[in-house]
Amino acid sequence: MSKSRRKKSSKRSSHRKRKVLSKGFGWTRFFLVPVFLVLIANLILFTNEALVSFFLLFFVATLFYLIGRYRRMEFDHDNLYILYGTDEKVIHFSSIVSIKRSRADKKKHHWKVTYLDKFSYKNSYRYKSHTNTEFQRRVKKVNPEVYF
């Protein structure tokens, strides 16, 4: 029993050492559900406006998808943690290839992290963060070849 308690407490203490990189706001997409329902009802009941309802439904579905892609991100001395609900993906700083600003953002708060997975495929995550310097410094310390 004492060993399992130690594991839990060490997990909690390591979680406390993490710093938040991005809070994520994927949960806000669920405010679009009532809009979905109204558009579907409009599509069924009023067939003369079906084309307009279809395009609005497509637009709202795309917005729902894009908002849902934002993830909470945390980091410590060696790893980047991408959190989605209760799932957690751990990315070691040595596998990060680049950290760049998003091209579409005028205020320069949107960033893109590109990393290599275990099969050496490039994957990327976008996140919104106002303070990125400490994260970049830690990544550069572990992986001096990262591109900024």
PDB file of all heavy atoms in Angstrom, residues 2-37:
ATOM      1  N   SER A   2       1.896   1.257   0.762  1.00  0.00           N
ATOM      2  CA  SER A   2       2.705   2.469   0.850  1.00  0.00           C
ATOM      3  C   SER A   2       3.391   2.779  -0.483  1.00  0.00           C
ATOM      4  O   SER A   2       3.614   3.929  -0.808  1.00  0.00           O
ATOM      5  CB  SER A   2       3.726   2.352   1.971  1.00  0.00           C
ATOM      6  OG  SER A   2       4.616   1.283   1.683  1.00  0.00           O
ATOM      7  N   LYS A   3       3.753   1.721  -1.249  1.00  0.00           N
ATOM      8  CA  LYS A   3       4.390   1.959  -2.537  1.00  0.00           C
ATOM      9  C   LYS A   3       3.442   2.649  -3.511  1.00  0.00           C
ATOM     10  O   LYS A   3       3.836   3.549  -4.228  1.00  0.00           O
ATOM     11  CB  LYS A   3       4.880   0.639  -3.136  1.00  0.00           C
ATOM     12  CG  LYS A   3       6.065   0.085  -2.426  1.00  0.00           C
ATOM     13  CD  LYS A   3       6.547  -1.168  -3.125  1.00  0.00           C
ATOM     14  CE  LYS A   3       7.739  -1.744  -2.395  1.00  0.00           C
ATOM     15  NZ  LYS A   3       8.222  -2.967  -3.042  1.00  0.00           N
ATOM     16  N   SER A   4       2.183   2.213  -3.540  1.00  0.00           N
ATOM     17  CA  SER A   4       1.239   2.851  -4.457  1.00  0.00           C
ATOM     18  C   SER A   4       0.959   4.291  -4.049  1.00  0.00           C
ATOM     19  O   SER A   4       0.761   5.143  -4.883  1.00  0.00           O
ATOM     20  CB  SER A   4      -0.062   2.055  -4.518  1.00  0.00           C
ATOM     21  OG  SER A   4      -0.700   2.070  -3.264  1.00  0.00           O
ATOM     22  N   ARG A   5       0.968   4.539  -2.764  1.00  0.00           N
ATOM     23  CA  ARG A   5       0.783   5.926  -2.316  1.00  0.00           C
ATOM     24  C   ARG A   5       1.955   6.791  -2.740  1.00  0.00           C
ATOM     25  O   ARG A   5       1.793   7.928  -3.121  1.00  0.00           O
ATOM     26  CB  ARG A   5       0.608   5.976  -0.803  1.00  0.00           C
ATOM     27  CG  ARG A   5      -0.727   5.481  -0.351  1.00  0.00           C
ATOM     28  CD  ARG A   5      -0.866   5.621   1.129  1.00  0.00           C
ATOM     29  NE  ARG A   5      -2.127   5.064   1.559  1.00  0.00           N
ATOM     30  CZ  ARG A   5      -2.471   4.907   2.807  1.00  0.00           C
ATOM     31  NH1 ARG A   5      -1.637   5.251   3.767  1.00  0.00           N
ATOM     32  NH2 ARG A   5      -3.633   4.399   3.118  1.00  0.00           N
ATOM     33  N   ARG A   6       3.142   6.227  -2.659  1.00  0.00           N
ATOM     34  CA  ARG A   6       4.309   6.996  -3.076  1.00  0.00           C
ATOM     35  C   ARG A   6       4.241   7.318  -4.565  1.00  0.00           C
ATOM     36  O   ARG A   6       4.575   8.409  -4.973  1.00  0.00           O
ATOM     37  CB  ARG A   6       5.590   6.211  -2.787  1.00  0.00           C
ATOM     38  CG  ARG A   6       6.004   6.298  -1.369  1.00  0.00           C
ATOM     39  CD  ARG A   6       7.377   5.686  -1.216  1.00  0.00           C
ATOM     40  NE  ARG A   6       7.430   5.033   0.078  1.00  0.00           N
ATOM     41  CZ  ARG A   6       8.137   3.980   0.364  1.00  0.00           C
ATOM     42  NH1 ARG A   6       8.877   3.423  -0.582  1.00  0.00           N
ATOM     43  NH2 ARG A   6       8.128   3.457   1.548  1.00  0.00           N
ATOM     44  N   LYS A   7       3.809   6.357  -5.348  1.00  0.00           N
ATOM     45  CA  LYS A   7       3.703   6.602  -6.787  1.00  0.00           C
ATOM     46  C   LYS A   7       2.707   7.707  -7.076  1.00  0.00           C
ATOM     47  O   LYS A   7       2.946   8.574  -7.883  1.00  0.00           O
ATOM     48  CB  LYS A   7       3.294   5.325  -7.526  1.00  0.00           C
ATOM     49  CG  LYS A   7       4.398   4.315  -7.616  1.00  0.00           C
ATOM     50  CD  LYS A   7       3.932   3.095  -8.369  1.00  0.00           C
ATOM     51  CE  LYS A   7       5.029   2.035  -8.411  1.00  0.00           C
ATOM     52  NZ  LYS A   7       4.573   0.822  -9.071  1.00  0.00           N
ATOM     53  N   LYS A   8       1.592   7.673  -6.379  1.00  0.00           N
ATOM     54  CA  LYS A   8       0.585   8.713  -6.605  1.00  0.00           C
ATOM     55  C   LYS A   8       1.115  10.073  -6.171  1.00  0.00           C
ATOM     56  O   LYS A   8       0.937  11.063  -6.848  1.00  0.00           O
ATOM     57  CB  LYS A   8      -0.705   8.385  -5.853  1.00  0.00           C
ATOM     58  CG  LYS A   8      -1.471   7.255  -6.471  1.00  0.00           C
ATOM     59  CD  LYS A   8      -2.737   7.011  -5.693  1.00  0.00           C
ATOM     60  CE  LYS A   8      -3.521   5.849  -6.301  1.00  0.00           C
ATOM     61  NZ  LYS A   8      -4.727   5.558  -5.538  1.00  0.00           N
ATOM     62  N   SER A   9       1.781  10.124  -5.020  1.00  0.00           N
ATOM     63  CA  SER A   9       2.274  11.408  -4.545  1.00  0.00           C
ATOM     64  C   SER A   9       3.393  11.928  -5.436  1.00  0.00           C
ATOM     65  O   SER A   9       3.499  13.115  -5.672  1.00  0.00           O
ATOM     66  CB  SER A   9       2.744  11.306  -3.093  1.00  0.00           C
ATOM     67  OG  SER A   9       3.854  10.429  -3.010  1.00  0.00           O
ATOM     68  N   SER A  10       4.253  11.017  -5.963  1.00  0.00           N
ATOM     69  CA  SER A  10       5.308  11.481  -6.865  1.00  0.00           C
ATOM     70  C   SER A  10       4.711  11.984  -8.176  1.00  0.00           C
ATOM     71  O   SER A  10       5.211  12.919  -8.777  1.00  0.00           O
ATOM     72  CB  SER A  10       6.320  10.369  -7.129  1.00  0.00           C
ATOM     73  OG  SER A  10       5.707   9.333  -7.857  1.00  0.00           O
ATOM     74  N   LYS A  11       3.624  11.340  -8.633  1.00  0.00           N
ATOM     75  CA  LYS A  11       2.960  11.804  -9.840  1.00  0.00           C
ATOM     76  C   LYS A  11       2.369  13.192  -9.609  1.00  0.00           C
ATOM     77  O   LYS A  11       2.470  14.067 -10.449  1.00  0.00           O
ATOM     78  CB  LYS A  11       1.867  10.814 -10.251  1.00  0.00           C
ATOM     79  CG  LYS A  11       1.237  11.138 -11.568  1.00  0.00           C
ATOM     80  CD  LYS A  11       0.236  10.084 -11.958  1.00  0.00           C
ATOM     81  CE  LYS A  11      -0.393  10.417 -13.297  1.00  0.00           C
ATOM     82  NZ  LYS A  11      -1.395   9.432 -13.680  1.00  0.00           N
ATOM     83  N   ARG A  12       1.764  13.380  -8.458  1.00  0.00           N
ATOM     84  CA  ARG A  12       1.206  14.699  -8.151  1.00  0.00           C
ATOM     85  C   ARG A  12       2.293  15.751  -8.052  1.00  0.00           C
ATOM     86  O   ARG A  12       2.144  16.851  -8.536  1.00  0.00           O
ATOM     87  CB  ARG A  12       0.429  14.642  -6.834  1.00  0.00           C
ATOM     88  CG  ARG A  12      -0.890  13.975  -6.939  1.00  0.00           C
ATOM     89  CD  ARG A  12      -1.643  14.103  -5.630  1.00  0.00           C
ATOM     90  NE  ARG A  12      -2.704  13.141  -5.575  1.00  0.00           N
ATOM     91  CZ  ARG A  12      -2.980  12.385  -4.537  1.00  0.00           C
ATOM     92  NH1 ARG A  12      -2.273  12.494  -3.435  1.00  0.00           N
ATOM     93  NH2 ARG A  12      -3.967  11.529  -4.574  1.00  0.00           N
ATOM     94  N   SER A  13       3.410  15.415  -7.403  1.00  0.00           N
ATOM     95  CA  SER A  13       4.466  16.401  -7.252  1.00  0.00           C
ATOM     96  C   SER A  13       5.087  16.749  -8.603  1.00  0.00           C
ATOM     97  O   SER A  13       5.447  17.888  -8.840  1.00  0.00           O
ATOM     98  CB  SER A  13       5.539  15.896  -6.288  1.00  0.00           C
ATOM     99  OG  SER A  13       6.170  14.747  -6.816  1.00  0.00           O
ATOM    100  N   SER A  14       5.219  15.752  -9.506  1.00  0.00           N
ATOM    101  CA  SER A  14       5.753  16.062 -10.827  1.00  0.00           C
ATOM    102  C   SER A  14       4.761  16.912 -11.623  1.00  0.00           C
ATOM    103  O   SER A  14       5.151  17.738 -12.427  1.00  0.00           O
ATOM    104  CB  SER A  14       6.085  14.789 -11.600  1.00  0.00           C
ATOM    105  OG  SER A  14       4.904  14.097 -11.916  1.00  0.00           O
ATOM    106  N   HIS A  15       3.469  16.684 -11.391  1.00  0.00           N
ATOM    107  CA  HIS A  15       2.457  17.480 -12.073  1.00  0.00           C
ATOM    108  C   HIS A  15       2.493  18.927 -11.574  1.00  0.00           C
ATOM    109  O   HIS A  15       2.257  19.855 -12.337  1.00  0.00           O
ATOM    110  CB  HIS A  15       1.077  16.867 -11.859  1.00  0.00           C
ATOM    111  CG  HIS A  15       0.010  17.529 -12.655  1.00  0.00           C
ATOM    112  ND1 HIS A  15      -0.037  17.448 -14.034  1.00  0.00           N
ATOM    113  CD2 HIS A  15      -1.029  18.313 -12.286  1.00  0.00           C
ATOM    114  CE1 HIS A  15      -1.070  18.132 -14.466  1.00  0.00           C
ATOM    115  NE2 HIS A  15      -1.685  18.667 -13.430  1.00  0.00           N
ATOM    116  N   ARG A  16       2.814  19.120 -10.319  1.00  0.00           N
ATOM    117  CA  ARG A  16       2.884  20.485  -9.772  1.00  0.00           C
ATOM    118  C   ARG A  16       4.066  21.260 -10.332  1.00  0.00           C
ATOM    119  O   ARG A  16       4.046  22.469 -10.374  1.00  0.00           O
ATOM    120  CB  ARG A  16       2.976  20.431  -8.252  1.00  0.00           C
ATOM    121  CG  ARG A  16       1.701  20.017  -7.600  1.00  0.00           C
ATOM    122  CD  ARG A  16       1.821  20.083  -6.109  1.00  0.00           C
ATOM    123  NE  ARG A  16       0.703  19.412  -5.498  1.00  0.00           N
ATOM    124  CZ  ARG A  16       0.768  18.696  -4.401  1.00  0.00           C
ATOM    125  NH1 ARG A  16       1.907  18.568  -3.765  1.00  0.00           N
ATOM    126  NH2 ARG A  16      -0.293  18.117  -3.911  1.00  0.00           N
ATOM    127  N   LYS A  17       5.118  20.561 -10.745  1.00  0.00           N
ATOM    128  CA  LYS A  17       6.301  21.234 -11.269  1.00  0.00           C
ATOM    129  C   LYS A  17       6.092  21.731 -12.690  1.00  0.00           C
ATOM    130  O   LYS A  17       6.891  22.488 -13.204  1.00  0.00           O
ATOM    131  CB  LYS A  17       7.498  20.290 -11.231  1.00  0.00           C
ATOM    132  CG  LYS A  17       7.932  19.945  -9.834  1.00  0.00           C
ATOM    133  CD  LYS A  17       9.066  18.954  -9.862  1.00  0.00           C
ATOM    134  CE  LYS A  17       9.424  18.511  -8.454  1.00  0.00           C
ATOM    135  NZ  LYS A  17      10.478  17.480  -8.472  1.00  0.00           N
ATOM    136  N   ARG A  18       5.040  21.309 -13.322  1.00  0.00           N
ATOM    137  CA  ARG A  18       4.761  21.727 -14.697  1.00  0.00           C
ATOM    138  C   ARG A  18       4.292  23.175 -14.734  1.00  0.00           C
ATOM    139  O   ARG A  18       3.664  23.664 -13.817  1.00  0.00           O
ATOM    140  CB  ARG A  18       3.681  20.857 -15.316  1.00  0.00           C
ATOM    141  CG  ARG A  18       4.060  19.435 -15.490  1.00  0.00           C
ATOM    142  CD  ARG A  18       2.917  18.715 -16.145  1.00  0.00           C
ATOM    143  NE  ARG A  18       3.106  17.284 -16.164  1.00  0.00           N
ATOM    144  CZ  ARG A  18       2.205  16.432 -16.605  1.00  0.00           C
ATOM    145  NH1 ARG A  18       1.039  16.870 -17.048  1.00  0.00           N
ATOM    146  NH2 ARG A  18       2.443  15.154 -16.597  1.00  0.00           N
ATOM    147  N   LYS A  19       4.581  23.800 -15.857  1.00  0.00           N
ATOM    148  CA  LYS A  19       4.086  25.151 -16.084  1.00  0.00           C
ATOM    149  C   LYS A  19       3.123  25.107 -17.262  1.00  0.00           C
ATOM    150  O   LYS A  19       3.314  24.354 -18.212  1.00  0.00           O
ATOM    151  CB  LYS A  19       5.247  26.094 -16.380  1.00  0.00           C
ATOM    152  CG  LYS A  19       6.153  26.233 -15.183  1.00  0.00           C
ATOM    153  CD  LYS A  19       7.007  27.432 -15.308  1.00  0.00           C
ATOM    154  CE  LYS A  19       7.812  27.538 -14.026  1.00  0.00           C
ATOM    155  NZ  LYS A  19       8.541  28.759 -13.947  1.00  0.00           N
ATOM    156  N   VAL A  20       2.112  25.931 -17.195  1.00  0.00           N
ATOM    157  CA  VAL A  20       1.079  25.963 -18.235  1.00  0.00           C
ATOM    158  C   VAL A  20       1.590  26.765 -19.419  1.00  0.00           C
ATOM    159  O   VAL A  20       2.028  27.905 -19.269  1.00  0.00           O
ATOM    160  CB  VAL A  20      -0.220  26.574 -17.684  1.00  0.00           C
ATOM    161  CG1 VAL A  20      -1.254  26.719 -18.780  1.00  0.00           C
ATOM    162  CG2 VAL A  20      -0.760  25.741 -16.548  1.00  0.00           C
ATOM    163  N   LEU A  21       1.538  26.152 -20.583  1.00  0.00           N
ATOM    164  CA  LEU A  21       1.913  26.827 -21.817  1.00  0.00           C
ATOM    165  C   LEU A  21       0.681  27.383 -22.510  1.00  0.00           C
ATOM    166  O   LEU A  21       0.671  28.499 -22.989  1.00  0.00           O
ATOM    167  CB  LEU A  21       2.651  25.852 -22.742  1.00  0.00           C
ATOM    168  CG  LEU A  21       3.172  26.406 -24.039  1.00  0.00           C
ATOM    169  CD1 LEU A  21       4.197  27.505 -23.777  1.00  0.00           C
ATOM    170  CD2 LEU A  21       3.814  25.302 -24.854  1.00  0.00           C
ATOM    171  N   SER A  22      -0.374  26.589 -22.538  1.00  0.00           N
ATOM    172  CA  SER A  22      -1.630  27.004 -23.160  1.00  0.00           C
ATOM    173  C   SER A  22      -2.776  26.358 -22.406  1.00  0.00           C
ATOM    174  O   SER A  22      -2.744  25.169 -22.116  1.00  0.00           O
ATOM    175  CB  SER A  22      -1.646  26.566 -24.619  1.00  0.00           C
ATOM    176  OG  SER A  22      -2.887  26.840 -25.193  1.00  0.00           O
ATOM    177  N   LYS A  23      -3.787  27.147 -22.079  1.00  0.00           N
ATOM    178  CA  LYS A  23      -4.931  26.626 -21.327  1.00  0.00           C
ATOM    179  C   LYS A  23      -5.921  25.888 -22.208  1.00  0.00           C
ATOM    180  O   LYS A  23      -6.674  25.074 -21.744  1.00  0.00           O
ATOM    181  CB  LYS A  23      -5.638  27.752 -20.589  1.00  0.00           C
ATOM    182  CG  LYS A  23      -4.785  28.354 -19.502  1.00  0.00           C
ATOM    183  CD  LYS A  23      -5.529  29.414 -18.765  1.00  0.00           C
ATOM    184  CE  LYS A  23      -4.641  29.999 -17.677  1.00  0.00           C
ATOM    185  NZ  LYS A  23      -5.311  31.035 -16.954  1.00  0.00           N
ATOM    186  N   GLY A  24      -5.930  26.188 -23.485  1.00  0.00           N
ATOM    187  CA  GLY A  24      -6.878  25.540 -24.386  1.00  0.00           C
ATOM    188  C   GLY A  24      -8.292  26.042 -24.137  1.00  0.00           C
ATOM    189  O   GLY A  24      -8.658  26.402 -23.030  1.00  0.00           O
ATOM    190  N   PHE A  25      -9.078  26.074 -25.167  1.00  0.00           N
ATOM    191  CA  PHE A  25     -10.473  26.496 -25.015  1.00  0.00           C
ATOM    192  C   PHE A  25     -11.384  25.646 -25.883  1.00  0.00           C
ATOM    193  O   PHE A  25     -12.406  26.104 -26.370  1.00  0.00           O
ATOM    194  CB  PHE A  25     -10.647  27.987 -25.311  1.00  0.00           C
ATOM    195  CG  PHE A  25     -10.157  28.423 -26.660  1.00  0.00           C
ATOM    196  CD1 PHE A  25     -11.013  28.474 -27.732  1.00  0.00           C
ATOM    197  CD2 PHE A  25      -8.841  28.779 -26.847  1.00  0.00           C
ATOM    198  CE1 PHE A  25     -10.569  28.876 -28.972  1.00  0.00           C
ATOM    199  CE2 PHE A  25      -8.386  29.187 -28.089  1.00  0.00           C
ATOM    200  CZ  PHE A  25      -9.255  29.235 -29.147  1.00  0.00           C
ATOM    201  N   GLY A  26     -11.018  24.386 -26.032  1.00  0.00           N
ATOM    202  CA  GLY A  26     -11.808  23.469 -26.836  1.00  0.00           C
ATOM    203  C   GLY A  26     -13.200  23.218 -26.287  1.00  0.00           C
ATOM    204  O   GLY A  26     -14.126  22.892 -27.032  1.00  0.00           O
ATOM    205  N   TRP A  27     -13.370  23.397 -24.975  1.00  0.00           N
ATOM    206  CA  TRP A  27     -14.681  23.177 -24.361  1.00  0.00           C
ATOM    207  C   TRP A  27     -15.711  24.186 -24.852  1.00  0.00           C
ATOM    208  O   TRP A  27     -16.912  23.924 -24.793  1.00  0.00           O
ATOM    209  CB  TRP A  27     -14.564  23.238 -22.840  1.00  0.00           C
ATOM    210  CG  TRP A  27     -14.028  24.544 -22.356  1.00  0.00           C
ATOM    211  CD1 TRP A  27     -12.729  24.880 -22.155  1.00  0.00           C
ATOM    212  CD2 TRP A  27     -14.788  25.714 -22.036  1.00  0.00           C
ATOM    213  NE1 TRP A  27     -12.623  26.173 -21.733  1.00  0.00           N
ATOM    214  CE2 TRP A  27     -13.878  26.714 -21.646  1.00  0.00           C
ATOM    215  CE3 TRP A  27     -16.151  26.011 -22.045  1.00  0.00           C
ATOM    216  CZ2 TRP A  27     -14.289  27.977 -21.275  1.00  0.00           C
ATOM    217  CZ3 TRP A  27     -16.547  27.283 -21.661  1.00  0.00           C
ATOM    218  CH2 TRP A  27     -15.620  28.251 -21.282  1.00  0.00           C
ATOM    219  N   THR A  28     -15.278  25.332 -25.352  1.00  0.00           N
ATOM    220  CA  THR A  28     -16.235  26.360 -25.781  1.00  0.00           C
ATOM    221  C   THR A  28     -16.999  25.956 -27.035  1.00  0.00           C
ATOM    222  O   THR A  28     -18.032  26.537 -27.342  1.00  0.00           O
ATOM    223  CB  THR A  28     -15.518  27.688 -26.051  1.00  0.00           C
ATOM    224  OG1 THR A  28     -14.520  27.483 -27.055  1.00  0.00           O
ATOM    225  CG2 THR A  28     -14.868  28.226 -24.798  1.00  0.00           C
ATOM    226  N   ARG A  29     -16.498  24.948 -27.749  1.00  0.00           N
ATOM    227  CA  ARG A  29     -17.189  24.523 -28.969  1.00  0.00           C
ATOM    228  C   ARG A  29     -18.575  23.979 -28.681  1.00  0.00           C
ATOM    229  O   ARG A  29     -19.426  23.959 -29.562  1.00  0.00           O
ATOM    230  CB  ARG A  29     -16.354  23.508 -29.732  1.00  0.00           C
ATOM    231  CG  ARG A  29     -16.258  22.155 -29.087  1.00  0.00           C
ATOM    232  CD  ARG A  29     -15.299  21.259 -29.864  1.00  0.00           C
ATOM    233  NE  ARG A  29     -15.261  19.929 -29.346  1.00  0.00           N
ATOM    234  CZ  ARG A  29     -14.479  19.506 -28.382  1.00  0.00           C
ATOM    235  NH1 ARG A  29     -13.650  20.348 -27.800  1.00  0.00           N
ATOM    236  NH2 ARG A  29     -14.506  18.250 -27.980  1.00  0.00           N
ATOM    237  N   PHE A  30     -18.832  23.542 -27.458  1.00  0.00           N
ATOM    238  CA  PHE A  30     -20.135  22.981 -27.128  1.00  0.00           C
ATOM    239  C   PHE A  30     -21.232  24.047 -27.049  1.00  0.00           C
ATOM    240  O   PHE A  30     -22.407  23.720 -27.010  1.00  0.00           O
ATOM    241  CB  PHE A  30     -20.059  22.163 -25.842  1.00  0.00           C
ATOM    242  CG  PHE A  30     -19.220  20.932 -26.022  1.00  0.00           C
ATOM    243  CD1 PHE A  30     -17.968  20.831 -25.445  1.00  0.00           C
ATOM    244  CD2 PHE A  30     -19.663  19.890 -26.817  1.00  0.00           C
ATOM    245  CE1 PHE A  30     -17.182  19.716 -25.632  1.00  0.00           C
ATOM    246  CE2 PHE A  30     -18.886  18.767 -27.024  1.00  0.00           C
ATOM    247  CZ  PHE A  30     -17.647  18.678 -26.421  1.00  0.00           C
ATOM    248  N   PHE A  31     -20.849  25.322 -27.063  1.00  0.00           N
ATOM    249  CA  PHE A  31     -21.842  26.376 -27.169  1.00  0.00           C
ATOM    250  C   PHE A  31     -22.462  26.408 -28.569  1.00  0.00           C
ATOM    251  O   PHE A  31     -23.495  27.015 -28.780  1.00  0.00           O
ATOM    252  CB  PHE A  31     -21.235  27.746 -26.842  1.00  0.00           C
ATOM    253  CG  PHE A  31     -20.917  27.920 -25.380  1.00  0.00           C
ATOM    254  CD1 PHE A  31     -19.612  28.103 -24.961  1.00  0.00           C
ATOM    255  CD2 PHE A  31     -21.922  27.880 -24.431  1.00  0.00           C
ATOM    256  CE1 PHE A  31     -19.323  28.265 -23.627  1.00  0.00           C
ATOM    257  CE2 PHE A  31     -21.639  28.034 -23.093  1.00  0.00           C
ATOM    258  CZ  PHE A  31     -20.331  28.230 -22.689  1.00  0.00           C
ATOM    259  N   LEU A  32     -21.823  25.746 -29.525  1.00  0.00           N
ATOM    260  CA  LEU A  32     -22.338  25.698 -30.891  1.00  0.00           C
ATOM    261  C   LEU A  32     -23.399  24.618 -31.088  1.00  0.00           C
ATOM    262  O   LEU A  32     -24.049  24.583 -32.128  1.00  0.00           O
ATOM    263  CB  LEU A  32     -21.190  25.462 -31.872  1.00  0.00           C
ATOM    264  CG  LEU A  32     -20.149  26.574 -31.971  1.00  0.00           C
ATOM    265  CD1 LEU A  32     -18.993  26.134 -32.852  1.00  0.00           C
ATOM    266  CD2 LEU A  32     -20.771  27.838 -32.515  1.00  0.00           C
ATOM    267  N   VAL A  33     -23.591  23.739 -30.109  1.00  0.00           N
ATOM    268  CA  VAL A  33     -24.565  22.649 -30.241  1.00  0.00           C
ATOM    269  C   VAL A  33     -25.986  23.180 -30.458  1.00  0.00           C
ATOM    270  O   VAL A  33     -26.696  22.680 -31.341  1.00  0.00           O
ATOM    271  CB  VAL A  33     -24.484  21.691 -29.039  1.00  0.00           C
ATOM    272  CG1 VAL A  33     -25.616  20.689 -29.034  1.00  0.00           C
ATOM    273  CG2 VAL A  33     -23.140  20.966 -29.058  1.00  0.00           C
ATOM    274  N   PRO A  34     -26.462  24.183 -29.698  1.00  0.00           N
ATOM    275  CA  PRO A  34     -27.806  24.713 -29.992  1.00  0.00           C
ATOM    276  C   PRO A  34     -27.924  25.285 -31.408  1.00  0.00           C
ATOM    277  O   PRO A  34     -28.970  25.153 -32.046  1.00  0.00           O
ATOM    278  CB  PRO A  34     -28.018  25.815 -28.952  1.00  0.00           C
ATOM    279  CG  PRO A  34     -27.077  25.497 -27.859  1.00  0.00           C
ATOM    280  CD  PRO A  34     -25.912  24.801 -28.491  1.00  0.00           C
ATOM    281  N   VAL A  35     -26.845  25.875 -31.902  1.00  0.00           N
ATOM    282  CA  VAL A  35     -26.866  26.405 -33.274  1.00  0.00           C
ATOM    283  C   VAL A  35     -27.008  25.249 -34.271  1.00  0.00           C
ATOM    284  O   VAL A  35     -27.759  25.346 -35.243  1.00  0.00           O
ATOM    285  CB  VAL A  35     -25.592  27.231 -33.553  1.00  0.00           C
ATOM    286  CG1 VAL A  35     -25.564  27.723 -34.988  1.00  0.00           C
ATOM    287  CG2 VAL A  35     -25.486  28.388 -32.586  1.00  0.00           C
ATOM    288  N   PHE A  36     -26.297  24.134 -34.010  1.00  0.00           N
ATOM    289  CA  PHE A  36     -26.451  22.933 -34.836  1.00  0.00           C
ATOM    290  C   PHE A  36     -27.906  22.492 -34.882  1.00  0.00           C
ATOM    291  O   PHE A  36     -28.450  22.213 -35.947  1.00  0.00           O
ATOM    292  CB  PHE A  36     -25.639  21.763 -34.254  1.00  0.00           C
ATOM    293  CG  PHE A  36     -24.231  21.661 -34.747  1.00  0.00           C
ATOM    294  CD1 PHE A  36     -23.195  21.593 -33.850  1.00  0.00           C
ATOM    295  CD2 PHE A  36     -23.946  21.606 -36.091  1.00  0.00           C
ATOM    296  CE1 PHE A  36     -21.900  21.470 -34.277  1.00  0.00           C
ATOM    297  CE2 PHE A  36     -22.649  21.478 -36.535  1.00  0.00           C
ATOM    298  CZ  PHE A  36     -21.617  21.415 -35.622  1.00  0.00           C
ATOM    299  N   LEU A  37     -28.531  22.410 -33.718  1.00  0.00           N
ATOM    300  CA  LEU A  37     -29.907  21.921 -33.641  1.00  0.00           C
ATOM    301  C   LEU A  37     -30.872  22.824 -34.395  1.00  0.00           C
ATOM    302  O   LEU A  37     -31.764  22.344 -35.098  1.00  0.00           O
ATOM    303  CB  LEU A  37     -30.328  21.767 -32.182  1.00  0.00           C
ATOM    304  CG  LEU A  37     -29.547  20.716 -31.379  1.00  0.00           C
ATOM    305  CD1 LEU A  37     -29.971  20.744 -29.919  1.00  0.00           C
ATOM    306  CD2 LEU A  37     -29.721  19.341 -31.988  1.00  0.00           C
TER     307      LEU A  37
END
